Amino acid sequence: MNNSFVNTVRLLGAGLRALLVLTLVTGVIYPLVVTGIAQAAFHDKANGSEIKADGKVVGSSLIGQQGYSLKYFQPRPANGLGANSINTRYKLILSGATNLSADSKVLVKQVEDAKAKVVKDNSVAGYTVKPSDVPADAVTSSGSGLDPDISPQYADLQVHRVAERNGLSVTAIEKLVKDHTSARALGFMGEPRVNVLELNIALKDLAAKK
């Protein structure tokens, strides 16, 4: 057996051992360590930031939902969401933006229609919403179409309608919104916000107690 063949076998053996070690470290040990740390230190976030109601998971605090009746607070529009036309076995929501330019006639009409609907839906006896009262997030989609939050201004605009449709006082609904308003992260990042799903769960619980 010549030295060339022996060296080749040794190199192959060393390469195989290196492959096995790296596979074990990066493919097994490292993922297990990271998963363990995440579960211990950030359990809720590591599991999808789930929100539960009535003992079951009803969504995630990170993903907005559509389809609420007018008894509840409404989320931002989601005009950019795509349709799942391939894997129709599952009701998948495809995240996306409209990619419409600021001078797009389609976008302008979407915003105008959305503003008219917000004004109409939220103008109730003794409280009239003016077009100038409607904040931008009430009539525009987020980049993903899945923004779970609305601005405190949009939540406040909906208070009278929600109170009327649920037979609750305006004061009670205003307090509910205030209690579910999150401040800027670390006091300076982002904007104050209200998570729509969490707010609507609290609203449902409050309405059940009346």
Side-chain angles (χ1 to χ4, degrees), residues 35-100:
T35 300
I37 293 173
Q39 288 293 330
F42 311 101
H43 180 75
D44 291 337
K45 292 181 179 179
N47 288 287
S49 300
E50 295 174 340
I51 296 179
K52 294 184 178 181
D54 301 323
K56 62 181 180 180
V57 176
V58 295
S60 167
S61 63
L62 304 177
I63 300 177
Q65 299 183 13
Q66 299 292 316
Y68 293 107
S69 74
L70 290 177
K71 286 180 60 177
Y72 296 96
F73 286 89
Q74 301 299 300
R76 295 183 65 173
N79 297 320
L81 292 185
N84 170 36
S85 59
I86 299 175
N87 187 354
T88 55
R89 179 179 177 184
Y90 302 101
K91 294 181 179 179
L92 301 178
I93 296 176
L94 306 183
S95 172
T98 62
N99 291 329
L100 297 173

Side-chain angles (χ1 to χ4, degrees), residues 2 39 45-46 59 72 106-107 121 132 135 137 188 194 197 205:
N2 59 44
Q39 288 293 330
K45 292 181 179 179
Y72 296 96
V106 174
L107 178 61
D121 289 344
S132 59
D137 64 301
F188 67 93
V194 183
L197 177 55
D205 291 341

